[in-house]
Amino acid sequence: MNIHFKSTLALAALAFAGQAFSQVTLYENEGFRGRSMTAQQPLPNLARSGFNDRASSAVVTSRRWEVCEDSQFGGRCVVLREGRYPSLEAIGLGNRISSVRLAGRYNRPEQDRLPPPPPNDVTSQVTFFENEGFQGRSFTSNEPVPDFRRHGFNDRASSAVVLGDRWEVCDDSRFEGRCTVLRVGRYPSLAAMGLNDRVSSVRAVERDSRVDDGRHAPPPQPVYDSRRRRNERLYEAPVTSVRAVLGQPAQRCWVEQEAVTTERSRANVPGAIIGAVLGGVLGHQVGGGRGKDLATAGGAVAGAVIGGNVGRNASTPAGTQDVQRCAAIPGGARADYYDVTYNFQGQEHRVQMTTQPGATVTVNDQGEPRT
């Protein structure tokens, strides 16, 4: 094989590798939501892929892509630079793309065919959690949501995290009813502002909009925006130490129905004691780790009820009543957060995380954590 032929093969391989890496992903809804499709080669007719006139947002990787209104790259065409386009409607292409292809690498497109570059900053977003303290199922949005019922999250939010800019949350759909503006930060309990399990719609507040102080929620806890910025290079920094910080002791309460009788004979006290002991043993065997304490207590209560009923005389039930019962939950049941130390370029950094990290932490060139 001669040198010229080898060079030709090498250049062809490099060109193919560059094309394979470059791609465009189209999304059915704005904000990169809904069904999606990815192209790494020219697609002259998106109807064959079931995606004709369906794209509402896009992500372009590595190189520029040309998107056209008609099939076979006809009609109005626009060249998209590398980046994220949360709304194609903003450039007049919402639900109008019929063909896509990689833009010519050496043919510089006319300036009027290039839309404004995508923003460098990450978009504003809000995340709601089903339980207080950012626990349970979650729902994240970076676009207006006029009705949470469409997402199965109506009247379910109990805590929230706001990033980027302010968001308005309302207790009725279509941004009606009582509305409150959340600043950037962490809200571990929406009950503090009367919105626990009441949020039905949400939308971002324009950055320059003035909002009366009375409409703002109480000041939130600080939040660190660890989302990756556009064109940001990332590194892996080794973790040097992890310390779990345990939560404070708490109490868990619930309501049970208890039978009420018209006549009660003397309880079988020895039977109650024996039942409590046996119930405690069974509960201790079922529980595991910290859960043993709660399981043992539960078994003892159940055993006492069973044992106490042995030898009772018959009585006439008169109905039921609600009784509140409580159990202590040790503070060490779970870690509140993890105090993590890592080393990047010879400098020590510390960060608090809600989940235990692995052997490394992802950071940018300044050593700031990224997710």
Side-chain angles (χ1 to χ4, degrees):
M1 187 181 294
N2 58 46
I3 296 177
H4 177 72
F5 186 60
K6 287 183 179 180
S7 301
T8 303
L9 283 179
L11 290 173
L14 286 173
F16 177 79
Q19 289 186 1
F21 177 74
S22 180
Q23 66 183 31
V24 59
T25 300
L26 305 176
Y27 295 84
E28 199 168 26
N29 301 327
E30 292 190 346
F32 321 109
R33 303 180 67 85
R35 196 161 62 96
S36 66
M37 69 153 290
T38 298
Q40 294 179 328
Q41 57 186 357
L43 294 180
N45 191 349
L46 292 183
R48 298 176 182 175
S49 306
F51 223 81
N52 187 55
D53 293 340
R54 288 182 176 272
S56 297
S57 54
V59 176
V60 178
T61 303
S62 183
R63 290 168 57 190
R64 295 173 299 187
W65 279 75
E66 183 181 49
V67 296
C68 302
E69 290 182 343
D70 295 341
S71 61
Q72 303 298 328
F73 317 110
R76 176 172 175 259
C77 295
V78 174
V79 175
L80 302 181
R81 299 176 175 94
E82 178 186 1
R84 295 161 57 88
Y85 297 83
S87 175
L88 293 176
E89 184 65 32
I91 53 179
L93 284 173
N95 295 324
R96 302 190 62 161
I97 296 177
S98 296
S99 54
V100 299
R101 63 181 173 184
L102 196 63
R105 188 165 190 173
Y106 303 105
N107 298 329
R108 186 173 182 178
E110 299 174 7
Q111 198 61 32
D112 59 359
R113 294 176 60 210
L114 286 170
N120 289 322
D121 296 334
V122 292
T123 57
S124 177
Q125 75 175 36
V126 59
T127 299
F128 295 99
F129 298 84
E130 200 168 25
N131 302 328
E132 293 190 346
F134 321 109
Q135 301 292 319
R137 195 161 61 98
S138 65
F139 169 70
T140 299
S141 181
N142 52 18
E143 59 185 2
V145 181
D147 193 345
F148 271 34
R149 285 178 295 185
R150 297 180 180 178
H151 302 275
F153 219 81
N154 188 54
D155 293 341
R156 289 181 176 271
S158 296
S159 53
V161 176
V162 178
L163 298 175
D165 220 323
R166 298 169 298 172
W167 284 75
E168 181 183 48
V169 296
C170 302
D171 57 15
D172 287 345
S173 61
R174 299 195 173 278
F175 320 112
E176 296 179 352
R178 177 172 173 264
C179 296
T180 302
V181 175
L182 305 182
R183 301 178 178 92
V184 174
R186 294 159 52 88
Y187 295 85
S189 175
L190 295 180
M193 60 199 76
L195 283 173
N196 187 53
D197 293 336
R198 294 180 64 96
V199 177
S200 295
S201 56
V202 64
R203 61 183 172 184
V205 177
E206 293 293 335
R207 184 164 295 183
D208 298 329
S209 296
R210 298 188 62 180
V211 177
D212 294 337
D213 289 339
R215 294 185 57 209
H216 279 111
Q221 297 177 359
V223 64
Y224 174 73
D225 191 350
S226 61
R227 294 175 295 173
R228 181 182 180 180
R229 278 56 168 173
R230 180 173 174 257
N231 294 332
E232 189 173 47
R233 189 172 182 180
L234 301 182
Y235 306 85
E236 295 298 320
V239 172
T240 56
S241 70
V242 178
R243 181 172 65 92
V245 180
L246 304 182
Q248 296 296 319
Q251 192 177 50
R252 174 178 171 269
C253 295
W254 65 96
V255 175
E256 294 179 352
Q257 284 194 335
E258 182 180 80
V260 179
T261 58
T262 55
E263 295 181 6
R264 290 181 180 271
S265 62
R266 181 177 299 176
N268 185 346
V269 177
I273 296 175
I274 295 173
V277 173
L278 291 177
V281 172
L282 289 175
H284 192 75
Q285 290 174 345
V286 172
R290 292 286 182 177
K292 286 183 178 180
D293 299 332
L294 293 179
T296 301
V301 172
V305 172
I306 296 171
N309 282 323
V310 175
R312 282 183 183 268
N313 294 327
S315 58
T316 304
T320 60
Q321 65 179 7
D322 290 338
V323 178
Q324 179 176 326
R325 304 193 186 280
C326 296
I329 300 178
R334 66 179 180 86
D336 231 14
Y337 60 89
Y338 295 87
D339 198 351
V340 180
T341 304
Y342 60 93
N343 188 284
F344 180 67
Q345 294 183 348
Q347 186 174 356
E348 187 177 86
H349 298 259
R350 291 181 62 186
V351 65
Q352 292 178 348
M353 298 183 171
T354 55
T355 57
Q356 188 171 3
T360 61
V361 172
T362 303
V363 300
N364 64 5
D365 55 6
Q366 302 297 316
E368 300 169 339
R370 291 288 183 259
T371 56

